[in-house]
């Protein structure tokens, strides 16, 4: 996987862009059930949300990891993700310049990659917000009372991913019965 090693100046610019955009995106773009790559949210936050669903009796889980979430996005597309929530033309022009200087807009290693991953997946999030779902980074867990319900959630999330040219990671995505919250959101789990 290609990785960027930003210069000191790049890191400063990425941090400034992130500092300007993140409060707006936190307020407008990201669902409460999304953790990972966000201030004051981590795997523990996701596990608490997951445990709430499991405790309520939704023990069947569509566990879907997005494959290659960093791949395939264009700079213009990434600017459009921001423009949905931020309407300042000068900021968007600066953002376009910053992204044009990177090998790809969501390249791992850049200071903007975590924010851009969340923005890309927020497009999926909007389509699946009616489900009992928790997302940590690029891993979705949808909770259902039955295996059939979990299967429907699996296909709903898969279809929403396809709409933004993503797909589930076949090796890491599955439907679980009687899931344990601690087994969710593991690296290579």
């Amino acid at each position: 996987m290609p990785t960027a090693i930003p210069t000191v100046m790049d890191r400063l610019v990425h941090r400034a862009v992130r500092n300007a955009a993140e409060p707006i995106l936190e307020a407008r773009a990201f669902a409460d059930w999304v953790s990972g790559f966000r201030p004051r949210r981590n795997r523990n936050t996701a596990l608490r949300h997951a445990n709430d669903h499991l405790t309520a009796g939704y023990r069947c889980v569509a566990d879907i990891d997005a494959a290659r979430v960093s791949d395939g996005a264009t700079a213009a597309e990434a600017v459009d993700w921001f423009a949905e929530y931020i309407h300042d033309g000068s900021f968007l022009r600066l953002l376009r310049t910053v992204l044009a200087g990177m090998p790809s807009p969501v390249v791992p290693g850049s200071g903007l990659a975590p924010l851009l991953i969340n923005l890309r997946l927020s497009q999926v999030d909007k389509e699946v917000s009616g489900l009992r779902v928790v997302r940590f980074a690029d891993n979705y867990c949808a909770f259902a009372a039955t295996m059939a319900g979990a299967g429907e959630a699996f296909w709903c999330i898969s279809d929403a991913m396809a709409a933004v040219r993503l797909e589930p990671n076949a090796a890491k995505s599955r439907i679980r019965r009687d899931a344990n919250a601690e087994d969710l959101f593991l690296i290579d789990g």
Side-chain angles (χ1 to χ4, degrees), residues 160-179:
M161 283 182 179
V164 293
R165 297 181 328 277
L166 292 171
E167 62 186 16
N169 180 325
K172 294 166 79 174
S173 300
R174 62 190 164 281
I175 298 176
R176 302 170 179 251
R177 180 190 309 270
D178 293 323

Side-chain angles (χ1 to χ4, degrees), residues 126-168:
K126 286 186 279 190
E127 299 302 316
V128 303
S129 63
L131 301 174
R132 287 174 202 87
V133 66
V134 176
R135 176 167 66 83
F136 175 68
D138 62 358
N139 184 209
Y140 288 85
C141 286
F143 299 83
T146 65
M147 290 297 282
E152 289 175 24
F154 188 99
W155 292 112
C156 179
I157 294 169
S158 296
D159 289 347
M161 283 182 179
V164 293
R165 297 181 328 277
L166 292 171
E167 62 186 16

Side-chain angles (χ1 to χ4, degrees), residues 67-151:
R68 298 176 306 279
V69 73
S70 301
D71 294 350
T74 67
E77 185 177 31
V79 171
D80 287 346
W81 301 334
F82 279 91
E84 188 173 340
Y85 305 100
I86 298 172
H87 308 292
D88 182 312
S90 60
F91 176 83
L92 296 173
R93 278 189 298 281
L94 170 69
L95 180 64
R96 187 172 285 108
T97 301
V98 169
L99 295 177
M102 296 169 31
S104 72
V106 193
V107 65
S110 95
L112 294 174
L115 191 61
L116 286 162
I117 288 169
N118 270 338
L119 262 176
R120 184 175 198 183
L121 291 174
S122 73
Q123 307 302 307
V124 176
D125 299 346
K126 286 186 279 190
E127 299 302 316
V128 303
S129 63
L131 301 174
R132 287 174 202 87
V133 66
V134 176
R135 176 167 66 83
F136 175 68
D138 62 358
N139 184 209
Y140 288 85
C141 286
F143 299 83
T146 65
M147 290 297 282

Side-chain angles (χ1 to χ4, degrees), residues 5-84:
I5 302 173
T7 66
V8 171
M9 185 60 72
D10 289 337
R11 281 184 284 218
L12 290 171
V13 171
H14 293 178
R15 176 49 66 186
V17 168
R18 191 168 175 174
N19 285 348
E22 199 166 51
I24 296 165
L25 298 175
E26 281 294 321
R28 297 180 183 168
F30 304 141
D32 186 51
W33 46 266
V34 173
S35 296
F37 307 136
R38 294 182 65 191
R40 298 169 302 284
R41 291 175 182 259
N42 54 36
R43 182 174 180 267
N44 292 334
T45 311
L47 290 175
R48 277 195 299 279
H49 285 133
N51 196 53
D52 290 345
H53 293 301
L54 294 168
T55 302
Y58 302 103
R59 307 237 5 118
C60 299
V61 180
D63 185 352
I64 304 169
D65 185 82
R68 298 176 306 279
V69 73
S70 301
D71 294 350
T74 67
E77 185 177 31
V79 171
D80 287 346
W81 301 334
F82 279 91
E84 188 173 340

